[in-house]
Amino acid sequence: MTRADRPTIRDVARAAGVSKGTVSFALNGRPGVSEDTRERILTAALELGWTPSTKARALSVSRSFAVGLVLAREPELLGADPFFPAFIAGVERTLSDRGQALVLQVVPESEEEAGYRRLAGTGRVDGVFLLDLRVDDPRIALLEELGLPAVSIARPDGPSEFPAVLVDDRPGIAAAVRHLAELGHRHIAHIAGPAHFLHGSRRRRAFEEALAEAGLPAGPVVEADFSAAGGAAATREVLATGVTAIVYSNDLMAIAGLSVAVELGVAVPAELSVTGFDNTDLAAYVTPPLTSVRTDPYLWGRKASEALLDLIDGRTVDDVPVPAAQLVIRASTAPPPPGVRTETP
């Protein structure tokens, strides 16, 4: 079909027996059109094969019909960590359904603020997602200053006028610690994510609180960077302390830890129990299959997109609840080896 052959709003109006203005109001979801009329217009548009011109829509309502995501991560890590493709897939599914586009920028952390300012200054996006929340995150105030609508993944630790997808990692970490304690482990370590990331610090705090609630002594905590290399290096450090179990802050580091254990001749789970976080597809297929905390970044992406588009449309948007993280028990966890003291000091 050539450009000249494509049906226009005038064609839809003629088929539905209404004015062009009524068609425009109906197709853009504006008030003032009865449901019967709106349905007749939508049916006519579908039968004619009419599709909107994004350029015309943007000019008519001063909208870009795109939303932004700025990620201050190393590109190599984005490719290795399954969380980001799953989240972006959820975002794209919703955006595609509603005729929107995603503008993705991967930048060094030093250029993150400039990235948001460019998106706002050029009018390339109507709103943004806030991922990888920081402790005392300065981006909240920045986006308020720029006037960009936003939805955060998790509730920030300070004031925020923006709605959040209510992701809470703490129950998953607590469940992993309880599971290990019930198996008889008393010397449990945590390989954490970066402390300046809110999910890294919250998972660490959940680990420490869960140990205390189980009546266990504080275990060693090593901060890593969520990468396989970081997880491997941290595993070597932790194994020197004589722990019998390690709770990792993501699957990528946990799987790297399994490899280190094999290299050092430490049998999993006979001599060392291991838990991950995110329950990535690979977790069920490593040897031994990895006990991990199930999350749903695809759903988070869908929910965040729906909330952000509603916010851009001027609707009131509340925080969005999502299912709590759940522990999936597999073969990488077992009781500690015989002869290891299991009583609480």
Side-chain angles (χ1 to χ4, degrees):
M1 181 183 291
T2 67
R3 193 169 183 175
D5 293 332
R6 291 175 182 166
T8 65
I9 282 184
R10 185 187 301 276
D11 297 325
V12 175
R14 186 182 301 113
V18 297
S19 69
K20 286 172 56 182
T22 302
V23 171
S24 179
F25 270 59
L27 295 176
N28 286 292
R30 297 180 182 175
V33 181
S34 72
E35 284 305 313
D36 287 346
T37 301
R38 189 187 308 276
E39 184 63 32
R40 191 165 75 251
I41 290 168
L42 293 176
T43 299
L46 182 63
E47 290 175 349
L48 289 170
W50 177 87
T51 56
S53 160
T54 302
K55 183 176 180 181
R57 290 166 69 205
L59 289 172
S60 68
V61 295
S62 299
R63 291 259 305 264
S64 67
F65 293 92
V67 295
L69 175 59
V70 179
L71 291 175
R73 291 284 194 110
E74 293 296 329
E76 296 79 9
L77 181 58
L78 293 181
D81 190 338
F83 169 84
F84 295 101
F87 177 80
I88 291 171
V91 168
E92 288 281 18
R93 175 70 273 172
T94 296
L95 295 183
S96 175
D97 289 345
R98 293 178 61 169
Q100 310 280 326
L102 176 67
V103 177
L104 173 64
Q105 291 191 2
V106 180
V107 299
E109 194 164 341
S110 60
E111 298 178 19
E112 189 174 22
E113 178 179 337
Y116 285 110
R117 290 191 180 278
R118 280 194 302 272
L119 289 178
T122 59
R124 293 181 65 194
V125 300
D126 301 315
V128 295
F129 302 104
L130 264 182
L131 216 60
D132 280 344
L133 285 180
R134 319 287 160 67
V135 176
D136 299 321
D137 202 317
R139 296 175 299 170
I140 304 295
L142 171 65
L143 295 176
E144 291 173 353
E145 172 199 332
L146 296 175
L148 267 179
V151 171
S152 64
I153 308 306
R155 171 55 50 191
D157 59 350
S160 171
E161 68 179 31
F162 303 121
V165 177
L166 295 178
V167 171
D168 187 357
D169 299 333
R170 292 170 294 184
I173 292 289
V177 172
R178 283 196 305 272
H179 169 60
L180 293 169
E182 289 166 359
L183 289 172
H185 291 275
R186 295 295 178 266
H187 308 289
I188 306 172
H190 179 48
I191 294 182
H196 70 284
F197 283 144
L198 200 55
H199 56 298
S201 65
R202 282 176 172 168
R203 291 176 195 180
R204 174 175 181 160
R205 189 161 60 249
F207 170 77
E208 294 169 340
E209 290 173 352
L211 285 181
E213 288 173 6
L216 300 180
V221 176
V222 177
E223 182 179 327
D225 60 0
F226 287 129
S227 73
T235 300
R236 294 180 187 279
E237 182 177 344
V238 162
L239 287 179
T241 67
V243 299
T244 63
I246 306 175
V247 174
Y248 289 83
S249 198
N250 76 349
D251 280 0
L252 191 59
M253 295 195 295
I255 291 169
L258 290 176
S259 179
V260 169
V262 170
E263 178 188 335
L264 297 179
V266 178
V268 178
E271 297 175 286
L272 177 72
S273 285
V274 169
T275 71
F277 197 102
D278 288 330
N279 195 41
T280 55
D281 289 343
L282 191 58
Y285 297 99
V286 295
T287 303
L290 180 66
T291 293
S292 186
V293 175
R294 179 191 292 126
T295 61
D296 194 346
Y298 177 84
L299 175 66
W300 301 349
R302 295 217 63 170
K303 293 294 186 181
S305 299
E306 292 165 2
L308 183 56
L309 295 179
D310 286 347
L311 192 64
I312 291 166
D313 285 340
R315 299 185 178 95
T316 299
V317 179
D318 297 323
D319 288 345
V320 182
V322 291
Q326 293 183 325
L327 186 67
V328 179
I329 298 172
R330 298 193 179 96
S332 67
T333 50
V340 173
R341 186 163 60 93
T342 60
E343 71 272 11
T344 302

